[in-house]
């Protein structure tokens, strides 16, 4: 595997700018055997959300609001260490960051318009309720004396 799998699309024609991604590598815990102590396979990917020009302004504001708890000085960071290979961890981290930004910058859902219950359905429900109560009243041993 040489070279990363191209631009990481956030949504539509907007993708993560390679130049604005900050990578950091460190030793990873987990699988890897004797090799694990010598290789820097854990990946931390940082992206300066507050200063980026790659995202449309509206998206950026939305993302800054929604990710406020995760940001440190306007920078969002993602970690990946589940693979033994640094390359696969880089892929995972980049895909995760793109997905995170896509979710955070998505437009809010349209408000739900409550629907009216048709009159016929309501009347039928009340009719069935009345019928059921008549059935149950008929079971009581009241008038049998």
């Amino acid at each position: 595997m040489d070279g990363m799998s191209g631009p990481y699309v956030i949504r539509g024609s907007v993708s993560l700018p390679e130049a604005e991604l900050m990578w950091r590598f460190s030793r990873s815990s987990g699988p890897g055997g004797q090799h694990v102590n010598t290789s820097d396979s854990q990946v931390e990917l940082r992206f300066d959300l507050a200063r980026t020009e790659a995202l449309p302004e509206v998206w950026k504001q939305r993302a800054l609001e929604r990710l406020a708890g995760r940001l440190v000085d306007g920078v969002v960071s993602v970690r990946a260490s589940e693979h033994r290979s640094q390359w696969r961890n880089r892929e995972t981290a980049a895909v995760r960051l793109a997905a995170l930004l896509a979710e955070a910058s998505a437009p809010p859902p349209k408000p739900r318009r409550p629907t009216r219950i048709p009159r016929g359905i309501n009347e039928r429900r009340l009719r069935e309720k009345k019928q059921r109560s008549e059935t149950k009243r008929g079971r009581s041993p009241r008038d049998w004396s």
Side-chain angles (χ1 to χ4, degrees):
M1 263 177 32
D2 50 332
M4 307 233 342
S5 65
Y8 294 95
V9 177
I10 295 173
R11 200 169 51 252
S13 60
V14 181
S15 56
L16 282 176
E18 199 64 49
E20 293 185 27
L21 300 180
M22 297 168 277
W23 300 93
R24 219 169 77 204
F25 308 102
S26 56
R27 291 196 189 124
S28 177
S29 62
Q34 296 162 331
H35 178 65
V36 79
N37 302 325
T38 58
S39 63
D40 292 343
S41 61
Q42 177 172 285
V43 172
E44 185 183 351
L45 174 56
R46 299 165 47 137
F47 179 67
D48 196 339
L49 186 57
R51 292 190 193 83
T52 186
E53 297 293 315
L55 296 178
E57 198 54 42
V58 185
W59 288 21
K60 194 158 90 168
Q61 290 313 314
R62 245 186 248 143
L64 284 168
E65 252 169 60
R66 290 183 187 163
L67 297 175
R70 279 192 71 153
L71 298 176
V72 179
D73 298 332
V75 176
V76 65
S77 72
V78 173
R79 247 198 202 119
S81 62
E82 51 270 11
H83 301 293
R84 286 170 64 165
S85 126
Q86 187 190 96
W87 274 108
R88 285 178 59 198
N89 280 333
R90 283 180 75 147
E91 290 283 311
T92 306
V95 167
R96 229 181 257 166
L97 179 63
L100 182 72
L101 289 175
E103 198 178 313
S105 65
K110 289 201 166 57
R112 181 184 168 277
R113 250 183 59 222
T115 53
R116 279 189 57 225
I117 298 170
R119 208 173 82 211
I121 288 179
N122 218 9
E123 285 173 358
R124 189 178 71 200
R125 181 181 64 87
L126 293 173
R127 205 170 39 247
E128 285 170 2
K129 261 177 90 133
K130 204 165 279 178
Q131 212 170 3
R132 185 101 183 114
S133 82
E134 288 298 320
T135 305
K136 289 191 170 192
R137 232 179 54 217
R139 290 181 191 154
S140 73
R142 259 201 339 261
D143 314 322
W144 287 15
S145 50

